[in-house]
Amino acid sequence: MIEKKNRKGAYTALLAAALVLLAVIVLENVSTFLPKEMVPGVLRPTSQLFSVLKKGAVYSLAAVSMNLLNGFTGLFSLGQAGFMLLGAYTYAIFTVPAAGKDAVYYLFGGSAIKFSFQDIFGALFGTGGAGGAVSLVLGVLTAIILAGCVAALAACLIGLPVLRLKGDYLAIATLGFAEIIRAVFQWQALGPITNGANMIQGFPTFSSFNITGADGKVAFRLSTFVPFLVAIVCITVIVMLINSSYGRAFKAIREDEIAAEAMGINLARHKLLSFCISAFFAGVSGALFAMFVNNAQAKVYTTTMTYEILLIVVIGGIGSISGSIIATFLYVACSEWWLRFLDETMTIGTFQVPFLRAGFRMVVFSIVIMIVVLFFRRGIMGDKELPDLWKKRPRKAGKEGAQ
């Protein structure tokens, strides 16, 4: 019976994911198939809506990866921005075409990495037509996986000594790691690899996946579909992990380490495993973030980014994957789109509305967050998932007896 329910839940989740991807493709290509005068501005590919959707997909993966560690394993880590930085730079370094490296690394006389994955696959499958599309997809996919592996390797190296700490001490140690990584990647001595304090550009982005016609115009858009596809696949893997025996071990460690160890769970091994897996998906989200902003620059990956992701996890509910995803899109939409009008001055006749000026949006946004936290102490979803809301509540014993 339980196996049937699990199978039904898996099919429902797959169907929901497929519908989301289909909806994204349709929304993004509405302006392509319909005359522009029939398409509202909000549904045009250049509108703020699609920017919010892309960033929401990227941040949702980062938030879920942090929730795996903080919410399901009970390890308070603040190194997310550092792992995202490693993923972003790994992706950028290995996807800038060889022909464009001299222009990107001009201050250092060229790059120490003389190849890109796209060039390698281009030599195998060709650079034009279907071969070019295959080399692009395989090159980007390889770089994204490598980005996650580099972040996981770094997590393994620092996790061995750091995971002996607990609570606030672990948070401070991982925060220090993120700051050290950011400083190292801006070191001019590493310029031939990281381009120093300068940004790396010229690598494939989400827009690179748009299909163009013979006239050079975009015929079919996939720039929003790609981050959603990668995020959905990665989050699905995380959900499968949480529902496995390893996930149950992570939850046992969160609830009571002494009891978990008495049950035969190797604490050091499982903590390190959770830390590395979380870092892997943070690295993947870092690669996606670099594709979203069209560059990789260390100064962007500050503690503020980590706090943003942590705030999303808390608002959504620590220990809830659905909550992290919902909170991500709400957070990004409010901060990047819905409250934008508060930054613009407004005049009614001769009366100028007070307070409306640049920066007032963040004041209101902070108040909204405070209200949400006050009324939802355990977050929007708590530790529940969306399917839990649809389950029927069991009737109380008193009522059954009365009947």
Side-chain angles (χ1 to χ4, degrees):
M1 188 70 176
I2 295 175
E3 188 177 346
K4 280 186 178 181
K5 285 184 178 180
N6 290 338
R7 194 177 300 171
K8 184 179 178 181
Y11 289 147
T12 303
L14 287 174
L15 178 61
L19 290 175
V20 168
L21 292 174
L22 180 62
V24 167
I25 291 179
V26 172
L27 275 177
E28 193 174 18
N29 288 279
V30 163
S31 61
T32 304
F33 300 117
L34 296 176
K36 284 189 176 181
E37 57 272 12
M38 294 179 62
V39 181
V42 73
L43 293 183
R44 289 175 186 166
T46 55
S47 71
Q48 195 71 25
L49 169 65
F50 293 98
S51 178
V52 167
L53 289 176
K54 292 172 189 175
K55 187 174 181 180
V58 174
Y59 265 43
S60 64
L61 176 56
V64 170
S65 69
M66 178 178 262
N67 209 348
L68 172 65
L69 189 64
N70 290 25
F72 289 93
T73 316
L75 299 177
F76 188 29
S77 170
L78 293 177
Q80 211 71 0
F83 296 126
M84 290 179 70
L85 183 151
L86 287 171
Y89 268 85
T90 302
Y91 172 82
I93 290 168
F94 287 100
T95 53
V96 175
K101 286 185 182 289
D102 289 340
V104 175
Y105 293 87
Y106 68 94
L107 290 176
F108 303 95
S111 172
I113 310 296
K114 302 296 183 182
F115 67 93
S116 74
F117 290 134
Q118 191 174 346
D119 294 330
I120 294 173
F121 287 110
L124 295 175
F125 300 101
T127 57
V134 171
S135 62
L136 171 66
V137 172
L138 291 179
V140 168
L141 184 60
T142 304
I144 288 176
I145 294 173
L146 181 62
C149 291
V150 169
L153 177 61
C156 183
L157 294 176
I158 70 165
L160 292 172
V162 164
L163 290 177
R164 298 174 185 272
L165 304 172
K166 294 181 181 180
D168 298 340
Y169 299 101
L170 175 61
I172 293 169
T174 51
L175 184 64
F177 154 76
E179 288 299 300
I180 291 170
I181 287 292
R182 185 163 63 90
V184 167
F185 271 71
Q186 295 182 85
W187 189 24
Q188 292 297 95
L190 292 177
I193 299 175
T194 64
N195 208 20
N198 309 295
M199 66 176 63
I200 301 177
Q201 292 179 306
F203 49 79
T205 62
F206 295 145
S207 299
S208 303
F209 291 89
N210 290 333
I211 300 173
T212 56
D215 56 356
K217 293 182 178 179
V218 177
F220 195 76
R221 299 181 183 276
L222 293 171
S223 60
T224 307
F225 169 80
V226 170
F228 266 80
L229 177 63
V230 176
I232 286 174
V233 170
C234 291
I235 291 172
T236 300
V237 173
I238 293 174
V239 171
M240 291 171 64
L241 174 69
I242 290 171
N243 292 327
S244 69
S245 58
Y246 288 101
R248 289 190 286 273
F250 294 159
K251 293 175 185 176
I253 293 172
R254 176 192 65 189
E255 297 300 328
D256 192 327
E257 290 190 8
I258 297 175
E261 192 171 21
M263 292 167 60
I265 295 173
N266 188 321
L267 295 183
R269 179 189 170 197
H270 282 85
K271 283 183 179 181
L272 184 61
L273 181 63
S274 176
F275 194 55
C276 291
I277 293 173
S278 174
F280 175 87
F281 289 108
V284 172
S285 66
L288 295 179
F289 187 77
M291 296 176 74
F292 169 69
V293 296
N294 302 336
N295 65 71
Q297 192 170 22
K299 70 177 185 180
V300 175
Y301 299 88
T302 61
T303 53
T304 303
M305 178 178 284
T306 298
Y307 295 149
E308 275 188 324
I309 298 169
L310 178 61
L311 181 62
I312 289 170
V313 172
V314 172
I315 291 174
I318 296 178
S320 172
I321 300 295
S322 305
S324 294
I325 296 171
I326 294 169
T328 298
F329 284 96
L330 289 176
Y331 180 90
V332 174
C334 286
S335 61
E336 301 285 341
W337 184 21
W338 292 340
L339 301 179
R340 282 282 181 185
F341 70 95
L342 296 173
D343 283 348
E344 300 174 1
T345 57
M346 183 183 298
T347 304
I348 303 174
T350 58
F351 174 74
Q352 183 174 348
V353 180
F355 303 117
L356 294 184
R357 63 192 67 183
F360 186 63
R361 165 175 58 97
M362 297 311 297
V363 175
V364 176
F365 182 56
S366 301
I367 294 172
V368 170
I369 290 174
M370 291 171 62
I371 293 172
V372 170
V373 172
L374 284 172
F375 284 93
F376 296 91
R377 295 294 178 90
R378 300 184 62 198
I380 296 173
M381 296 292 294
D383 59 353
K384 299 183 182 298
E385 303 294 346
L386 281 177
D388 296 334
L389 302 179
W390 302 328
K391 291 179 181 177
K392 293 181 179 179
R393 294 182 181 179
R395 287 181 293 182
K396 293 182 180 179
K399 289 185 179 180
E400 289 179 356
Q403 289 176 355

